[in-house]
Amino acid sequence: MRPAALLSLAPLLALAPGSALAQPANRPTPGHTRVAIETSVGTIIVATDDRRAPLTSANFLTYVDDGRFDGVTFYRAARRKSDPKLGLIQGGIDTDARRSLPPIRHEPTSRTGLRHLDATLSMARPDRPNSAMGNFFITIGPTPNMDARGDYIGYAAFGHVVGGMDVVKRILAVPTCCGSGPMRGQMIVKPIAIIRAKRLDGKPHPSRGVKPWLLGLNRKG
């Protein structure tokens, strides 16, 4: 069972309908960086918004450039009770501290101007500010309750899906169980493998230092 504080995204499912604004196309776009997330059920292509959410985008891209997302999973599918075809999927390093980078400063939607619309890429985080690391989620349908308002800091939207939304919807529909609190029943029974994530635009900027999750992989038993 995963600690609720690490993956808390409440309240998730009290979501209002809405329409998505214009998103970057699946081609090189100034101010955006595309990343292909190759999964066991197909490829999702996202575009980070490097201008409006620079800190969050840079953090995500470092995880990509380091290979920290290679071999992890999409482990959560949160379906809206009123319409199971809407909700979100969540993936990333989960609780694997070997793959984590230091937490980053929160970029609220009230500052970036981004919103949680359909196909939005956003950062998961524990239930406290400045704590996001290597877990992210993708919305299916607009989720305005995740936008910052008043004293509520919300979640840091930082990009959009520009290809493979059918794969996202396929993952949302897989069987789930377990979990606790607001995530009860939302853990994917057979997590969807993320084979690798690779940037499609620009030059990689990996971090320096030891990559502990790789230690021992090439040792012979």
Side-chain angles (χ1 to χ4, degrees):
M1 183 178 297
R2 299 173 175 84
L6 178 65
L7 304 173
S8 178
L9 287 174
L12 287 182
L13 302 179
L15 309 178
S19 59
L21 300 177
Q23 301 175 5
N26 189 6
R27 61 175 180 269
T29 306
H32 296 82
T33 302
R34 292 174 303 155
V35 171
I37 304 172
E38 300 177 11
T39 81
S40 55
V41 295
T43 298
I44 304 164
I45 301 176
V46 298
T48 61
D49 194 323
D50 307 331
R51 289 179 178 171
R52 291 194 286 178
L55 297 178
T56 313
S57 295
N59 175 70
F60 181 82
L61 291 171
T62 300
Y63 276 88
V64 170
D65 294 341
D66 278 357
R68 293 172 190 267
F69 289 145
D70 299 355
V72 300
T73 64
F74 279 104
Y75 50 82
R76 183 184 184 192
R79 292 180 284 272
R80 197 183 304 184
K81 291 183 179 179
S82 61
D83 187 346
K85 292 182 179 181
L86 303 177
L88 66 84
I89 63 171
Q90 182 171 313
I93 67 171
D94 199 355
T95 58
D96 189 352
R98 298 172 305 165
R99 294 176 181 260
S100 66
L101 292 167
I104 59 171
R105 182 160 57 86
H106 183 58
E107 291 181 307
T109 55
S110 55
R111 181 184 305 154
T112 63
L114 298 171
R115 295 291 180 266
H116 287 86
L117 307 170
D118 182 43
T120 295
L121 175 66
S122 190
M123 288 303 295
R125 59 170 175 78
D127 191 18
R128 60 182 184 274
N130 305 323
S131 57
M133 291 188 289
N135 291 291
F136 60 91
F137 63 93
I138 296 171
T139 60
I140 302 91
T143 59
N145 281 5
M146 290 183 168
D147 294 338
R149 60 189 182 280
D151 293 332
Y152 175 59
I153 65 172
Y155 293 84
F158 67 100
H160 284 89
V161 174
V162 296
M165 197 62 191
D166 58 322
V167 178
V168 175
K169 293 176 181 178
R170 195 175 307 149
I171 296 173
L172 181 68
V174 300
T176 56
C177 73
C178 313
S180 61
M183 298 177 294
R184 184 176 181 83
Q186 298 176 0
M187 299 298 107
I188 296 175
V189 174
K190 295 182 179 180
I192 304 300
I194 296 176
I195 300 166
R196 67 171 179 165
K198 62 178 181 179
R199 73 156 69 208
L200 302 179
D201 304 311
K203 182 180 179 180
H205 295 283
S207 65
R208 298 180 179 179
V210 177
K211 296 180 172 54
W213 71 94
L214 298 177
L215 296 179
L217 286 183
N218 296 322
R219 294 178 183 174
K220 295 182 179 180

